[in-house]
Coordinates of all heavy atoms in Angstrom, one line a residue:
M1 N 1.7 -1.7 -10.6 CA 1.6 -0.7 -9.5 C 2.4 0.5 -9.9 O 2.2 1.0 -10.9 CB 2.1 -1.4 -8.2 CG 1.1 -2.5 -7.9 SD 0.8 -2.5 -6.2 CE 1.0 -4.1 -5.8
G2 N 3.4 0.9 -9.1 CA 4.2 2.0 -9.4 C 3.6 3.4 -9.6 O 4.2 4.3 -10.1
R3 N 2.3 3.5 -9.2 CA 1.7 4.8 -9.3 C 1.9 5.6 -8.0 O 2.2 5.0 -7.0 CB 0.2 4.6 -9.5 CG -0.2 3.9 -10.7 CD -1.6 3.8 -10.8 NE -1.9 2.6 -11.6 CZ -3.0 1.9 -11.6 NH1 -4.0 2.4 -10.9 NH2 -3.2 0.9 -12.4
G4 N 1.6 6.9 -8.0 CA 1.5 7.7 -6.8 C 2.8 8.3 -6.5 O 3.8 8.3 -7.3
R5 N 2.8 9.0 -5.4 CA 4.0 9.7 -4.9 C 4.9 8.8 -4.1 O 4.5 7.8 -3.5 CB 3.5 10.9 -4.1 CG 2.7 11.8 -4.8 CD 2.2 12.9 -3.9 NE 1.0 13.4 -4.6 CZ 0.0 14.0 -4.0 NH1 0.0 14.1 -2.7 NH2 -1.1 14.4 -4.6
R6 N 6.1 9.2 -4.0 CA 7.1 8.5 -3.2 C 6.9 8.9 -1.7 O 6.5 10.0 -1.4 CB 8.5 8.9 -3.6 CG 8.9 8.4 -4.9 CD 10.4 8.6 -5.1 NE 10.8 8.1 -6.4 CZ 11.3 6.9 -6.6 NH1 11.4 6.1 -5.6 NH2 11.6 6.5 -7.8
I7 N 7.1 7.9 -0.9 CA 7.0 8.1 0.6 C 8.4 8.5 1.1 O 9.3 7.7 0.9 CB 6.6 6.8 1.3 CG1 5.4 6.1 0.6 CG2 6.4 7.0 2.7 CD1 4.0 6.8 0.9
P8 N 8.5 9.6 1.7 CA 9.8 10.0 2.3 C 10.2 9.2 3.5 O 9.4 9.0 4.4 CB 9.6 11.5 2.6 CG 8.1 11.6 2.9 CD 7.5 10.6 2.0
Y9 N 11.5 8.8 3.5 CA 12.0 8.0 4.6 C 13.0 8.7 5.5 O 13.6 8.1 6.3 CB 12.6 6.7 4.1 CG 11.6 5.7 3.5 CD1 11.7 5.3 2.2 CD2 10.6 5.2 4.3 CE1 10.8 4.5 1.7 CE2 9.7 4.3 3.8 CZ 9.8 3.9 2.5 OH 8.9 3.1 2.0
K10 N 13.2 10.0 5.2 CA 14.3 10.7 6.0 C 14.1 10.6 7.5 O 15.0 10.5 8.2 CB 14.3 12.2 5.5 CG 14.8 12.3 4.1 CD 14.8 13.8 3.7 CE 15.2 13.9 2.2 NZ 15.2 15.2 1.7
D11 N 12.9 10.7 7.9 CA 12.6 10.7 9.4 C 12.3 9.3 9.9 O 11.8 9.2 11.0 CB 11.4 11.7 9.7 CG 11.7 13.1 9.2 OD1 12.9 13.5 9.3 OD2 10.8 13.8 8.9
Q12 N 12.5 8.3 9.1 CA 12.2 6.9 9.5 C 13.5 6.1 9.4 O 13.7 5.4 8.4 CB 11.1 6.4 8.6 CG 9.9 7.2 8.8 CD 8.8 6.9 7.7 OE1 8.9 5.9 7.1 NE2 7.9 7.7 7.5
P13 N 14.2 6.0 10.5 CA 15.5 5.3 10.4 C 15.5 3.8 10.3 O 16.4 3.2 9.8 CB 16.2 5.7 11.7 CG 15.1 6.1 12.7 CD 14.0 6.6 11.8
S14 N 14.4 3.2 10.8 CA 14.4 1.7 10.8 C 13.5 1.2 9.7 O 12.5 1.8 9.2 CB 13.9 1.2 12.1 OG 12.5 1.4 12.2
E15 N 13.9 0.0 9.2 CA 13.1 -0.7 8.2 C 11.7 -1.0 8.7 O 10.7 -0.9 7.9 CB 13.8 -1.9 7.7 CG 15.0 -1.7 6.9 CD 15.8 -2.9 6.4 OE1 15.3 -4.0 6.7 OE2 16.7 -2.8 5.7
L16 N 11.6 -1.4 9.9 CA 10.3 -1.6 10.5 C 9.4 -0.4 10.4 O 8.2 -0.5 10.0 CB 10.4 -2.1 11.9 CG 9.1 -2.4 12.6 CD1 8.2 -3.4 11.9 CD2 9.3 -2.8 14.1
R17 N 9.9 0.7 10.7 CA 9.1 2.0 10.6 C 8.7 2.3 9.2 O 7.6 2.7 8.9 CB 9.9 3.1 11.2 CG 9.2 4.4 11.3 CD 8.0 4.3 12.3 NE 7.1 5.4 12.0 CZ 5.8 5.4 12.1 NH1 5.2 4.3 12.6 NH2 5.1 6.5 11.9
Q18 N 9.6 2.0 8.3 CA 9.3 2.2 6.8 C 8.1 1.3 6.4 O 7.2 1.7 5.7 CB 10.5 1.9 6.0 CG 11.6 3.0 6.2 CD 12.8 2.7 5.4 OE1 12.9 1.8 4.5 NE2 13.9 3.4 5.8
V19 N 8.2 0.0 6.9 CA 7.1 -0.9 6.6 C 5.8 -0.5 7.1 O 4.8 -0.5 6.4 CB 7.5 -2.4 7.0 CG1 6.3 -3.3 7.0 CG2 8.6 -2.9 6.3
V20 N 5.8 -0.1 8.4 CA 4.6 0.4 9.0 C 4.0 1.6 8.3 O 2.8 1.8 8.1 CB 4.8 0.7 10.5 CG1 3.7 1.4 11.1 CG2 5.1 -0.6 11.3
T21 N 4.9 2.5 7.9 CA 4.5 3.7 7.1 C 3.8 3.3 5.8 O 2.8 3.9 5.4 CB 5.6 4.6 6.9 OG1 6.1 5.1 8.1 CG2 5.3 5.8 6.0
L22 N 4.4 2.3 5.1 CA 3.8 1.9 3.9 C 2.5 1.2 4.1 O 1.5 1.4 3.3 CB 4.8 0.9 3.1 CG 6.0 1.6 2.6 CD1 7.0 0.5 2.1 CD2 5.7 2.6 1.5
L23 N 2.3 0.4 5.1 CA 1.0 -0.2 5.4 C 0.0 0.9 5.7 O -1.2 0.8 5.3 CB 1.2 -1.2 6.6 CG 1.9 -2.5 6.3 CD1 2.2 -3.2 7.6 CD2 1.2 -3.3 5.3
K24 N 0.4 1.9 6.5 CA -0.5 2.9 6.8 C -0.9 3.7 5.6 O -2.1 4.1 5.4 CB 0.1 3.9 7.8 CG -0.8 5.0 8.3 CD -0.1 5.8 9.3 CE -1.0 7.0 9.7 NZ -0.3 7.9 10.6
T25 N 0.0 3.9 4.7 CA -0.3 4.6 3.4 C -1.2 3.8 2.6 O -2.2 4.4 2.0 CB 1.0 4.9 2.6 OG1 1.9 5.7 3.4 CG2 0.7 5.6 1.3
V26 N -1.1 2.5 2.5 CA -2.0 1.6 1.8 C -3.4 1.8 2.3 O -4.4 2.0 1.6 CB -1.5 0.2 1.8 CG1 -2.6 -0.7 1.2 CG2 -0.3 0.0 0.9
R27 N -3.5 1.7 3.7 CA -4.8 1.8 4.4 C -5.4 3.1 4.1 O -6.6 3.2 3.7 CB -4.6 1.6 5.9 CG -5.8 1.7 6.6 CD -5.8 3.0 7.4 NE -7.0 3.1 8.2 CZ -7.8 4.2 8.2 NH1 -7.5 5.2 7.5 NH2 -8.9 4.2 9.0
N28 N -4.7 4.2 4.2 CA -5.2 5.5 4.0 C -5.7 5.7 2.5 O -6.7 6.3 2.3 CB -4.2 6.6 4.3 CG -4.0 6.7 5.8 OD1 -4.8 6.2 6.6 ND2 -2.9 7.3 6.3
N29 N -4.9 5.2 1.6 CA -5.2 5.4 0.2 C -6.5 4.5 -0.2 O -7.3 5.0 -0.9 CB -4.1 5.0 -0.7 CG -3.0 6.0 -0.7 OD1 -3.2 7.1 -0.3 ND2 -1.8 5.6 -1.2
L30 N -6.6 3.4 0.4 CA -7.8 2.5 0.1 C -9.1 3.1 0.7 O -10.1 3.1 0.1 CB -7.6 1.1 0.6 CG -6.5 0.3 -0.1 CD1 -6.3 -1.0 0.5 CD2 -6.9 0.1 -1.6
F31 N -8.9 3.7 1.9 CA -10.1 4.3 2.6 C -10.4 5.7 2.2 O -11.6 6.1 2.2 CB -10.0 4.2 4.1 CG -10.2 2.8 4.6 CD1 -9.2 2.0 4.9 CD2 -11.5 2.4 4.9 CE1 -9.4 0.7 5.4 CE2 -11.8 1.1 5.3 CZ -10.7 0.3 5.6
H32 N -9.4 6.4 1.8 CA -9.6 7.9 1.5 C -9.2 8.3 0.1 O -9.3 9.5 -0.2 CB -8.8 8.7 2.5 CG -9.1 8.4 3.9 ND1 -10.4 8.7 4.5 CD2 -8.4 7.8 4.9 CE1 -10.4 8.2 5.8 NE2 -9.2 7.7 6.1
G33 N -8.7 7.4 -0.7 CA -8.2 7.7 -2.0 C -9.3 8.2 -2.9 O -10.5 7.9 -2.7
G34 N -8.9 8.9 -4.0 CA -9.9 9.3 -5.0 C -10.6 10.6 -4.7 O -11.4 11.0 -5.5
K35 N -10.4 11.2 -3.6 CA -11.1 12.4 -3.2 C -10.7 13.6 -4.0 O -11.4 14.6 -4.1 CB -11.0 12.7 -1.7 CG -11.7 11.7 -0.9 CD -11.5 12.1 0.6 CE -12.3 11.1 1.4 NZ -12.1 11.4 2.9
H36 N -9.5 13.5 -4.6 CA -9.0 14.6 -5.3 C -8.8 14.3 -6.8 O -8.0 14.9 -7.5 CB -7.6 15.1 -4.7 CG -7.7 15.4 -3.3 ND1 -8.4 16.5 -2.8 CD2 -7.3 14.7 -2.2 CE1 -8.3 16.5 -1.5 NE2 -7.7 15.4 -1.1
G37 N -9.6 13.4 -7.3 CA -9.6 13.0 -8.7 C -8.4 12.2 -9.2 O -8.1 12.2 -10.4
D38 N -7.7 11.5 -8.3 CA -6.6 10.7 -8.8 C -7.1 9.6 -9.7 O -8.0 8.8 -9.3 CB -5.9 10.1 -7.5 CG -5.3 11.1 -6.7 OD1 -5.0 12.2 -7.2 OD2 -5.1 10.8 -5.5
D39 N -6.5 9.5 -10.8 CA -6.9 8.4 -11.8 C -6.4 7.1 -11.3 O -5.3 6.9 -10.8 CB -6.2 8.7 -13.2 CG -6.9 9.9 -13.9 OD1 -8.0 10.2 -13.5 OD2 -6.2 10.5 -14.7
G40 N -7.2 6.1 -11.5 CA -6.8 4.7 -11.2 C -6.9 4.3 -9.7 O -6.5 3.2 -9.4
W41 N -7.3 5.2 -8.9 CA -7.3 4.8 -7.4 C -8.2 3.7 -7.1 O -8.1 3.0 -6.1 CB -7.6 6.0 -6.6 CG -9.1 6.4 -6.6 CD1 -9.7 7.2 -7.5 CD2 -10.1 5.9 -5.7 NE1 -11.0 7.3 -7.2 CE2 -11.3 6.5 -6.1 CE3 -10.1 5.1 -4.6 CZ2 -12.5 6.3 -5.5 CZ3 -11.3 4.8 -4.0 CH2 -12.5 5.4 -4.4
D42 N -9.3 3.5 -7.9 CA -10.3 2.5 -7.6 C -10.2 1.2 -8.5 O -11.2 0.5 -8.6 CB -11.7 3.1 -7.6 CG -12.1 3.6 -9.0 OD1 -11.2 3.7 -9.9 OD2 -13.3 3.8 -9.3
D43 N -9.0 0.9 -9.0 CA -8.8 -0.3 -9.8 C -8.9 -1.5 -8.9 O -8.1 -1.7 -8.1 CB -7.4 -0.2 -10.4 CG -7.0 -1.4 -11.2 OD1 -7.9 -2.3 -11.4 OD2 -5.9 -1.5 -11.6
P44 N -10.0 -2.3 -9.2 CA -10.2 -3.5 -8.3 C -9.0 -4.4 -8.2 O -8.8 -5.0 -7.1 CB -11.4 -4.2 -8.9 CG -12.1 -3.1 -9.7 CD -11.0 -2.2 -10.2
E45 N -8.4 -4.7 -9.3 CA -7.2 -5.6 -9.3 C -6.1 -5.0 -8.4 O -5.5 -5.8 -7.6 CB -6.7 -5.9 -10.7 CG -5.7 -6.9 -10.8 CD -5.3 -7.2 -12.2 OE1 -6.2 -7.3 -13.0 OE2 -4.1 -7.4 -12.4
R46 N -5.8 -3.8 -8.5 CA -4.8 -3.1 -7.7 C -5.2 -3.1 -6.2 O -4.4 -3.4 -5.4 CB -4.6 -1.7 -8.2 CG -3.6 -0.9 -7.4 CD -3.3 0.5 -8.1 NE -2.4 1.2 -7.3 CZ -2.7 2.1 -6.4 NH1 -3.9 2.4 -6.1 NH2 -1.7 2.8 -5.7
I47 N -6.4 -2.8 -5.9 CA -6.9 -2.8 -4.5 C -6.7 -4.2 -3.9 O -6.2 -4.4 -2.8 CB -8.3 -2.4 -4.4 CG1 -8.4 -0.8 -4.8 CG2 -8.9 -2.6 -3.1 CD1 -9.8 -0.3 -4.9
L48 N -7.1 -5.2 -4.7 CA -7.0 -6.6 -4.2 C -5.5 -7.0 -3.9 O -5.2 -7.6 -2.9 CB -7.7 -7.6 -5.1 CG -7.7 -9.0 -4.7 CD1 -8.5 -9.2 -3.4 CD2 -8.4 -9.9 -5.7
T49 N -4.7 -6.6 -4.8 CA -3.3 -6.9 -4.7 C -2.7 -6.2 -3.5 O -2.0 -6.8 -2.6 CB -2.5 -6.5 -5.9 OG1 -2.9 -7.2 -7.0 CG2 -1.0 -6.7 -5.8
L50 N -3.0 -4.9 -3.3 CA -2.5 -4.2 -2.1 C -3.0 -4.8 -0.8 O -2.3 -4.9 0.1 CB -2.9 -2.7 -2.2 CG -2.2 -1.9 -3.3 CD1 -2.9 -0.5 -3.4 CD2 -0.7 -1.7 -2.9
L51 N -4.3 -5.2 -0.8 CA -4.8 -5.8 0.4 C -4.2 -7.1 0.8 O -3.8 -7.4 1.9 CB -6.4 -6.0 0.3 CG -7.2 -4.7 0.4 CD1 -8.6 -5.0 0.1 CD2 -7.1 -4.2 1.8
E52 N -4.0 -8.0 -0.3 CA -3.4 -9.3 -0.1 C -2.0 -9.1 0.4 O -1.6 -9.8 1.4 CB -3.4 -10.1 -1.3 CG -4.8 -10.6 -1.7 CD -4.9 -11.2 -3.1 OE1 -3.9 -11.1 -3.9 OE2 -5.9 -11.9 -3.4
L53 N -1.2 -8.2 -0.2 CA 0.2 -8.1 0.3 C 0.3 -7.4 1.7 O 1.1 -7.9 2.5 CB 0.9 -7.2 -0.8 CG 1.1 -7.8 -2.1 CD1 1.7 -6.8 -3.1 CD2 2.0 -9.1 -2.0
S54 N -0.6 -6.5 1.9 CA -0.6 -5.9 3.3 C -0.9 -6.9 4.3 O -0.3 -6.9 5.4 CB -1.5 -4.7 3.3 OG -1.1 -3.7 2.4
I55 N -1.9 -7.7 4.1 CA -2.3 -8.7 5.1 C -1.2 -9.7 5.3 O -0.9 -10.1 6.4 CB -3.6 -9.4 4.6 CG1 -4.8 -8.5 4.7 CG2 -3.8 -10.7 5.4 CD1 -6.0 -8.9 4.0
R56 N -0.5 -10.1 4.2 CA 0.7 -11.0 4.4 C 1.8 -10.4 5.3 O 2.3 -11.0 6.2 CB 1.3 -11.4 3.1 CG 0.6 -12.5 2.4 CD 1.5 -13.1 1.3 NE 0.8 -12.9 0.1 CZ 1.3 -12.9 -1.1 NH1 2.6 -13.1 -1.3 NH2 0.6 -12.8 -2.2
V57 N 2.0 -9.1 5.1 CA 3.0 -8.4 5.9 C 2.6 -8.3 7.3 O 3.4 -8.6 8.3 CB 3.3 -7.0 5.3 CG1 4.2 -6.2 6.3 CG2 4.0 -7.1 3.9
L58 N 1.3 -8.0 7.6 CA 0.8 -7.9 8.9 C 0.9 -9.3 9.6 O 1.2 -9.3 10.8 CB -0.6 -7.4 8.9 CG -0.8 -5.9 8.6 CD1 -2.3 -5.6 8.4 CD2 -0.2 -5.0 9.7
D59 N 0.6 -10.3 8.9 CA 0.7 -11.7 9.4 C 2.1 -12.0 9.9 O 2.3 -12.5 11.0 CB 0.2 -12.7 8.4 CG -1.3 -12.7 8.1 OD1 -2.1 -12.1 8.9 OD2 -1.7 -13.3 7.1
E60 N 3.0 -11.6 9.0 CA 4.4 -11.9 9.3 C 4.9 -11.1 10.6 O 5.6 -11.6 11.4 CB 5.3 -11.6 8.2 CG 5.3 -12.6 7.1 CD 6.0 -13.9 7.5 OE1 7.0 -13.8 8.2 OE2 5.4 -14.9 7.2
L61 N 4.5 -9.8 10.6 CA 4.9 -9.0 11.8 C 4.3 -9.5 13.1 O 5.0 -9.6 14.1 CB 4.4 -7.5 11.6 CG 5.1 -6.7 10.5 CD1 4.5 -5.4 10.3 CD2 6.6 -6.6 10.8
A62 N 3.0 -10.0 13.0 CA 2.4 -10.6 14.2 C 3.2 -11.9 14.6 O 3.4 -12.1 15.8 CB 1.0 -10.9 13.9
D63 N 3.6 -12.7 13.7 CA 4.3 -13.9 14.0 C 5.7 -13.6 14.6 O 6.1 -14.2 15.6 CB 4.5 -14.8 12.7 CG 3.2 -15.5 12.3 OD1 2.3 -15.6 13.2 OD2 3.2 -16.0 11.2
L64 N 6.4 -12.6 14.0 CA 7.7 -12.2 14.4 C 7.7 -11.6 15.9 O 8.6 -11.9 16.7 CB 8.3 -11.2 13.5 CG 8.8 -11.7 12.2 CD1 9.2 -10.6 11.2 CD2 10.0 -12.7 12.3
A65 N 6.6 -10.9 16.2 CA 6.5 -10.3 17.5 C 5.9 -11.3 18.5 O 5.8 -10.9 19.7 CB 5.6 -9.0 17.4
D66 N 5.5 -12.5 18.0 CA 4.9 -13.5 18.9 C 3.6 -13.0 19.6 O 3.4 -13.3 20.7 CB 6.0 -14.0 19.9 CG 5.5 -15.3 20.5 OD1 4.9 -16.1 19.9 OD2 5.9 -15.5 21.7
F67 N 2.8 -12.3 18.8 CA 1.5 -12.0 19.3 C 0.4 -12.4 18.3 O -0.6 -11.7 18.2 CB 1.3 -10.6 19.8 CG 1.6 -9.5 18.8 CD1 0.8 -9.1 17.8 CD2 2.8 -8.8 18.9 CE1 1.1 -8.1 16.9 CE2 3.1 -7.7 18.1 CZ 2.3 -7.4 17.0
G68 N 0.7 -13.5 17.6 CA -0.2 -14.0 16.7 C -1.6 -14.3 17.2 O -2.6 -14.1 16.6
A69 N -1.7 -14.8 18.5 CA -3.0 -15.2 19.1 C -3.8 -13.9 19.3 O -5.0 -13.9 19.0 CB -2.8 -15.9 20.4
D70 N -3.2 -12.8 19.7 CA -3.9 -11.6 19.9 C -4.4 -11.0 18.5 O -5.4 -10.5 18.4 CB -3.1 -10.5 20.6 CG -2.9 -10.9 22.0 OD1 -3.7 -11.4 22.6 OD2 -1.8 -10.5 22.5
Y71 N -3.5 -11.2 17.6 CA -3.7 -10.7 16.2 C -4.9 -11.4 15.5 O -5.8 -10.8 14.9 CB -2.5 -10.8 15.4 CG -2.6 -10.4 13.9 CD1 -2.8 -9.1 13.5 CD2 -2.4 -11.4 13.0 CE1 -2.9 -8.8 12.1 CE2 -2.5 -11.1 11.6 CZ -2.8 -9.8 11.2 OH -2.9 -9.5 9.9
T72 N -4.9 -12.7 15.7 CA -5.9 -13.5 15.1 C -7.1 -13.8 16.0 O -8.1 -14.4 15.6 CB -5.4 -14.9 14.6 OG1 -4.9 -15.6 15.8 CG2 -4.3 -14.7 13.6
R73 N -6.9 -13.4 17.3 CA -8.0 -13.6 18.3 C -8.2 -15.1 18.5 O -9.4 -15.5 18.7 CB -9.2 -12.9 18.0 CG -9.1 -11.4 18.1 CD -10.4 -10.6 17.9 NE -10.1 -9.2 17.9 CZ -11.0 -8.3 18.3 NH1 -12.2 -8.7 18.6 NH2 -10.7 -7.1 18.3
Y74 N -7.2 -15.9 18.5 CA -7.2 -17.3 18.6 C -6.5 -17.7 20.0 O -5.3 -17.4 20.1 CB -6.6 -18.1 17.5 CG -6.6 -19.6 17.7 CD1 -7.8 -20.3 17.4 CD2 -5.5 -20.2 18.1 CE1 -7.8 -21.7 17.6 CE2 -5.5 -21.6 18.2 CZ -6.6 -22.3 18.0 OH -6.7 -23.7 18.2
Y75 N -7.3 -18.2 20.9 CA -6.7 -18.5 22.2 C -6.9 -20.0 22.6 O -7.8 -20.5 22.3 CB -7.3 -17.6 23.3 CG -7.1 -16.1 23.0 CD1 -8.1 -15.4 22.4 CD2 -5.9 -15.6 23.3 CE1 -7.9 -14.0 22.2 CE2 -5.7 -14.2 23.1 CZ -6.7 -13.4 22.5 OH -6.5 -12.1 22.3

């Protein structure tokens, strides 16, 4: 991994906000990446890794916030 630009955290005081920003960045890059000729944006292995890690983080956040049922739509 290690590609791309750094995400500025100056305006994001909490670690939770930083995590949410990173998840949003992953989402945006996967859906909108490559429009400006960025090399390697469509590497299938990298995309799969980013998706798997992001899903794990989202799962943990849902569990910590105790809204897992809403998140998984399991009632």
Side-chain angles (χ1 to χ4, degrees):
M1 294 226 225
R3 298 180 207 161
R5 299 177 201 152
R6 291 189 178 267
I7 310 283
Y9 290 120
K10 291 179 184 177
D11 298 330
Q12 301 169 14
S14 74
E15 288 181 358
L16 176 59
R17 183 67 194 145
Q18 292 175 14
V19 168
V20 170
T21 297
L22 290 172
L23 289 170
K24 183 178 175 184
T25 300
V26 168
R27 180 251 180 230
N28 290 345
N29 288 344
L30 292 176
F31 283 97
H32 304 293
K35 291 183 179 177
H36 304 289
D38 296 336
D39 291 333
W41 75 270
D42 63 347
D43 175 7
E45 187 174 319
R46 179 174 178 263
I47 290 171
L48 186 59
T49 299
L50 288 170
L51 284 172
E52 288 172 347
L53 293 173
S54 295
I55 290 168
R56 273 196 244 163
V57 171
L58 289 170
D59 290 346
E60 283 293 318
L61 289 174
D63 286 344
L64 288 170
D66 197 28
F67 56 78
D70 289 328
Y71 173 69
T72 61
R73 294 184 180 206
Y74 178 78
Y75 300 98

